[in-house]
Structure formats: structure tokens, C-alpha cells
Amino acid sequence: MNDTLRVTVGTGYPVIVASDIWRELPAAMHEVGLRGRVHIIADAQMAVPAQALVESFGEGTSLLLIPGGEGSKDMHTLMRIYDHLLAHRVERRDIVVAFGGGVIGDVAGYAAATVLRGVALVQMPTTLLAMVDSAVGGKTGINHALGKNMIGAFHQPRLVYADVSLLKTLPQRELAAGWAEAIKHGVIRDAQLFADLAGADPTTAFFDPALVRRAVAVKVDVVNIDVYEQAERMLLNYGHTVGHAIEQLLGYGVLLHGEAIAIGMHIEARIAAALQLCAPALVDLQTSVLERYHLPTQLPSQISARQLMDVMQRDKKVLAGQIRWALPASIGHAVITRDVPLDLVERVLTSN
Ligand SMILES: NC(=O)c1ccc[n+]([C@@H]2O[C@H](COP(=O)([O-])OP(=O)(O)OC[C@H]3O[C@@H](n4cnc5c(N)ncnc54)[C@H](O)[C@@H]3O)[C@@H](O)[C@H]2O)c1
Ligand SMILES: [Zn+2]
């Protein structure tokens, strides 16, 4: 099928990106050999389609609704999911369907990874961010008071099933945040995707399954090359060294993740230009596309260069005291480098 990508890790799994397919989930699961009882853990925003799916799966299917948002990625929600699954007598051959944004995918995915030492998982992402990023790759987990994503496991899904028609209710800001990761995928690995995004109408582009699929394909490719994030997968961190530091300094929830990453991409592209790794024109081109999708590019005024430098040096991507940067060399091609003098970073941050 031409709407299907494939992750080849382990026994492998299909990643389907299409429009108006959510009702066909039972058949798609059957096709990949998933035959057990189904437990749908759904974002409360998805209550109506989730209930319809329960009816089509029939007898023995269970449903638990969870509010979306970062606050749900915690021990309390995880415990609610365990309580639900165990009360419904989950068995080893059963399947957990994570039906929602990245938050539901991460927490329900972690529950699937750990309940009864692991049951099958289907990711059915309903935000653009979850489609182009979190649903593929098998990272699951929750937050801890001492840090985001501090507890988790790799648990590859058996199927990723993305229906872009479900995005029509997604708030505009959430949609834009998802586009930030898609634009990032274009910059690091796919010049044609970047050009397509630059030419698309940002108000309707999400409805184009081919465009969304192309953005998902970059994540699929990178995961296929490097499942445990040793090398290539680091490229996905473009914009994230600075972006994570911004999120941490502002406090989570002030900016959406994708918004912080857009600012991070802008600053990191300027670092690449200052290193003469890329042409200065790349920065302008990227800015025009980010702005087209209503994404910010300027560092919030309450954050100083010094604060940002301090936080970045404590990031988990720092190896032996040196920051590992994913930086663009040209549109469609990024590299990993440690050779970025701190004074150059500081100069970029203060020059604006
Ligand atoms: N596992 C990974 O590899 C990975 C990668 C990137 C991000 N993440 C995680 O993903 C999370 C962010 O995901 P997110 O941005 O999807 O956030 P989210 O899951 O909180 O969803 C954002 C908001 O949209 C709502 N929503 C979801 N689908 C909707 C729809 N179709 N219509 C209307 N509203 C809808 C949710 O209820 C929520 O309020 C973060 O916790 C991040 O750490 C994980
Ligand atoms: Zn991200």
C-alpha cells in the first residue's frame, strides 16, 4: 500500500498515514496479526470516535479516557491505567491502543510496556506532533518531579495508525507546534519536504496525507538507521539543545514544545551560519517557512544569554563537558558536531 511506511526494527511494523481511516482500525490490526482483546486508552478529546471503536471491536473491549496535556504524563495517570487494565483482566495477548496526542502515546505506551511485563501496543496519534514524531520509534514514559521523560522504556508498537482527518479539531497553536517538527525533518534530511512545506497552505496542509506522511517518513528512516539514539537519531535533536533550555527556563507550558523548538532552530541555524557550516541564506529561508506556519523565532525577552548557556551545558546531550549539536549544513542535510566554541554560541545569542 502506498500509504504505508515501515519501521524495520525487530520484527518491524507498518506506519499508516492516510485520511478517513479511523473506522478501519479493527481490520488494520487484524492484518498485522493482532487478535487479542483491545483496551483503548484515549484522549478525552477523542471520546466520540473512541466509543465508536469500542462498539466495532465488540465484546470484551475496554475504554479509559484521559485528559490530554503534560499534566497527565505522571505516576498518577499511569496508576489509573494499570488499575483499569488489571480490573479488566488484561492478558498477555491483549492489545493496548494509545489513541491521542504524544502525552497519551507516552503514558499508555509505558503502561503497555510494563503491565504483565509487556503487552502489544498500537499507536493511533491524533495530534500532528504525535504523528510526525512521538508515535514512531518506541520511546514511552512519564515525567518525574526532577525532570521530563525521566522514567520510561523502549517499547515498539505493532502498528502506527495515523488518520489526518482527526486533526481538524486540533487547535491552531497545537497544529503549528506539530509543523515545527515537520519543518525540522525537512531541514535535517529532506529538501523536497522542506520545499513542499514552503509551498503549502498552512491552514489546510495538515489535510494532505502525502505531506504528513513525508514528514513521518523522516522519523521512520532515522529510527530504522539508529533505534537507540547513538548517532543518526541525534539529528532529530536539531533545535532541541536551545529549545529544551528555553522550555526549562520559562517553565513548561508557557510555550508549546514545537514553539520552543522553532526558536531553537532559528538560533541553531544562526550558530551553523556563524561557523560557516551553512550559508546565511539558509537562516532566512528557514525563518520564512517557520513564520509561514505562525511559529515564533525570537528568544523571549525574559531569558538572558547567560542563563541559556548555563542550562544548555547541563543538558543530557552533553558528553564529557561538550555539547553535541545537530546543525544544518544545507537544507536537507544536517551533521552532528562537538566543535562549537562556547564563545561563538554566546556571541550568536547576544547579537540577535
Ligand atoms: N515518545 C517520543 O518519542 C516523543 C517525541 C516527541 C514528543 N513526545 C512527547 O509528546 C508530548 C506532547 O505531545 P502533544 O503535543 O501531542 O501533546 P498532547 O498529547 O498533550 O496533546 C495536545 C492537546 O491537544 C489535545 N488533542 C489531542 N488530539 C486532539 C484532536 N485531534 N483534536 C483536538 N484536540 C486534541 C489534547 O487533549 C491536548 O490538550 C510531550 O509529553 C512530549 O514529551 C514524545
Ligand atoms: Zn521535539
Side-chain angles (χ1 to χ4, degrees):
M1 250 197 301
N2 65 358
D3 57 5
T4 306
L5 305 164
R6 191 159 182 92
V7 174
T8 53
V9 176
T11 50
Y13 55 92
V15 177
I16 298 173
V17 185
S19 188
D20 278 312
I21 54 164
W22 66 266
R23 289 179 192 79
E24 270 72 68
L25 178 70
M29 285 172 55
H30 201 82
E31 210 160 291
V32 292
L34 295 170
R35 305 284 154 82
R37 279 159 62 230
V38 174
H39 305 280
I40 302 176
I41 313 298
D43 191 301
Q45 298 287 336
M46 291 294 120
V48 174
Q51 190 56 49
L53 282 174
V54 169
E55 277 146 37
S56 58
F57 278 112
E59 194 68 27
T61 310
S62 80
L63 171 63
L64 175 65
L65 295 176
I66 297 211
E70 202 61 33
S72 287
K73 236 174 85 171
D74 66 353
M75 202 53 117
H76 173 74
T77 306
L78 180 65
M79 213 44 85
R80 269 189 70 198
I81 300 174
Y82 289 144
D83 290 349
H84 171 88
L85 293 173
L86 294 171
H88 285 83
R89 301 187 183 285
V90 63
E91 294 175 16
R92 283 301 301 276
R93 65 190 293 268
D94 288 1
I95 306 119
V96 167
V97 174
F99 186 27
V103 164
I104 303 299
D106 279 10
V107 65
Y110 187 60
T114 46
V115 78
L116 307 181
R117 297 194 186 84
V119 300
L121 170 67
V122 170
Q123 289 283 8
M124 195 173 177
T126 66
T127 65
L128 185 59
L129 181 126
M131 290 180 189
V132 303
D133 196 350
S134 58
V136 172
K139 282 205 228 168
T140 71
I142 58 171
N143 301 326
H144 184 277
L146 294 179
K148 231 175 98 78
N149 298 325
M150 284 296 155
I151 295 160
F154 275 98
H155 189 56
Q156 299 293 340
R158 297 280 300 277
L159 168 69
V160 178
Y161 198 69
D163 183 342
V164 296
S165 75
L166 296 171
L167 296 174
K168 58 177 176 271
T169 52
L170 194 65
Q172 158 67 38
R173 231 183 120 190
E174 297 284 352
L175 201 56
W179 285 125
E181 301 278 4
I183 296 165
K184 179 197 77 181
H185 287 178
V187 175
I188 62 171
R189 228 181 139 79
D190 186 344
Q192 188 59 50
L193 168 63
F194 185 86
D196 290 348
L197 287 167
D201 176 350
T203 54
T204 54
F206 70 86
F207 221 65
D208 176 359
L211 185 63
V212 175
R213 191 182 311 119
R214 188 150 188 148
V216 178
V218 171
K219 175 83 187 242
V220 168
D221 281 351
V222 171
V223 167
N224 282 343
I225 298 170
D226 177 20
V227 66
Y228 291 114
E229 199 163 300
Q230 302 301 309
E232 269 80 3
R233 205 160 166 174
M234 284 279 314
L235 293 176
L236 297 170
N237 282 327
Y238 175 45
H240 285 62
T241 302
V242 172
H244 281 152
I246 293 172
E247 284 183 293
Q248 206 174 319
L249 282 165
L250 283 182
Y252 289 99
V254 178
L255 285 179
L256 294 178
H257 173 71
E259 293 170 335
I261 273 21
I263 300 169
M265 283 165 66
H266 182 64
I267 292 171
E268 293 179 20
R270 288 174 54 228
I271 290 171
L275 282 168
Q276 297 186 318
L277 186 65
C278 75
L282 181 146
V283 181
D284 299 332
L285 191 58
Q286 181 185 267
T287 304
S288 68
V289 177
L290 291 171
E291 286 178 350
R292 185 178 174 84
Y293 287 82
H294 307 289
L295 287 159
T297 56
Q298 296 305 311
L299 196 61
S301 56
Q302 61 269 49
I303 295 179
S304 72
R306 177 89 328 260
Q307 287 175 308
L308 209 56
M309 297 287 292
D310 287 346
V311 173
M312 283 189 299
Q313 284 168 279
R314 280 187 267 122
D315 191 274
K316 65 181 172 195
K317 288 181 290 299
V318 174
L319 197 71
Q322 276 187 311
I323 301 175
R324 281 185 291 174
W325 297 87
L327 296 175
S330 59
I331 294 290
H333 179 60
V335 296
I336 305 293
T337 177
R338 295 197 189 122
D339 296 326
V340 182
L342 285 177
D343 59 331
L344 179 142
V345 176
E346 192 150 11
R347 210 162 60 235
V348 167
L349 287 172
T350 48
S351 71
N352 209 28

